Amino acid sequence: MTPEPLIVLASASPRRSELLGLAGLSFRTAPADIPEEPLPGEEAVPHALRLAEEKARAAAGREATGRWFIGADTIVVLDGRIMGKPVDDQDACRMLTDLSGTTHQVVTAYAVYDRQTGSCVTEAIQTGVRFKQLSDHEIKAYISTGCPLDKAGAYAIQGGAAHFVREIQGSYTNVVGLPTCELIETLHRMGVPLS
């Protein structure tokens, strides 16, 4: 019988699972369902860091097995304004219109909580993303796919919005939803067995 993986991803995101799998990690998922609204006056990076840690700790509090719990949160930031997931098609249209022709930041924070030692390491990675000027037709066609509704900033760089992106500065996997290079380095420093 195969033992339960010691690494637990506190996320329902298939993109995050795919990225961890591509990195060769043995893990299981245990999504953490927590409120994701910013606190009053909370800025983008502290907001993402807080949610990542809360997700990791929430999963650790519920799960009977596992040692290292990974939480992550991705937000899009335009001119200091946090863009989470759109609430409906109209909200998605507003977000994409705002992002059109601009450079924005994608912030993904991750937290690795070690249940055995009680330690938690957090980090936030930022990537600059520049959109081309989008036509109304492009925005409406993309929204009609349904893809934007569960994505921060209403788009997925690895999906139907790939052709919106003129340039990125920084980590591509960060924009997808998990800065894999930095996360693997953190796991290594924490002594997590990665094979």
Side-chain angles (χ1 to χ4, degrees):
M1 188 169 155
T2 307
E4 280 279 327
L6 294 174
I7 300 172
V8 179
L9 176 62
S11 175
S13 165
R15 294 160 298 284
R16 290 185 181 132
S17 289
E18 181 181 13
L19 288 170
L20 279 188
L22 289 170
L25 294 183
S26 174
F27 68 97
R28 66 183 177 85
T29 60
D33 187 21
I34 65 166
E36 297 191 6
E37 295 78 24
L39 299 175
E42 189 174 43
E43 294 185 358
V45 171
H47 169 70
L49 286 166
R50 176 179 63 81
L51 289 183
E53 183 168 349
E54 285 182 4
K55 289 174 183 180
R57 290 181 181 273
R62 277 198 331 267
E63 297 300 308
T65 61
R67 175 173 173 182
W68 291 281
F69 291 80
I70 301 170
D73 190 71
T74 301
I75 55 175
V76 168
V77 184
L78 178 64
D79 299 328
R81 178 168 49 103
I82 297 172
M83 291 181 157
K85 298 171 185 173
V87 296
D88 55 23
D89 287 355
Q90 184 177 354
D91 196 27
C93 183
R94 179 189 57 77
M95 288 183 182
L96 291 169
T97 300
D98 288 350
L99 294 173
S100 175
T102 71
T103 297
H104 59 275
Q105 296 294 312
V106 176
V107 178
T108 298
Y110 64 85
V112 182
Y113 173 66
D114 182 343
R115 178 159 54 187
Q116 183 171 306
T117 66
S119 65
C120 187
V121 175
T122 60
E123 188 169 357
I125 306 300
Q126 298 187 51
T127 302
V129 179
R130 183 160 64 101
F131 267 21
K132 70 175 185 175
Q133 195 70 42
L134 305 178
S135 69
D136 290 345
H137 173 75
E138 285 176 307
I139 291 172
K140 288 175 184 168
Y142 183 52
I143 291 171
S144 73
T145 67
C147 182
L149 291 182
D150 68 340
K151 310 292 188 303
Y155 77 93
I157 193 172
Q158 76 282 5
H163 68 286
F164 294 173
V165 178
R166 189 169 298 284
E167 179 183 13
I168 69 167
Q169 297 175 326
S171 168
Y172 170 78
T173 59
N174 186 57
V175 183
V176 177
L178 196 65
T180 316
C181 177
E182 293 84 355
L183 174 60
I184 297 300
E185 290 173 341
T186 296
L187 294 173
H188 182 72
R189 286 194 304 270
M190 294 179 75
V192 180
L194 299 179
S195 55

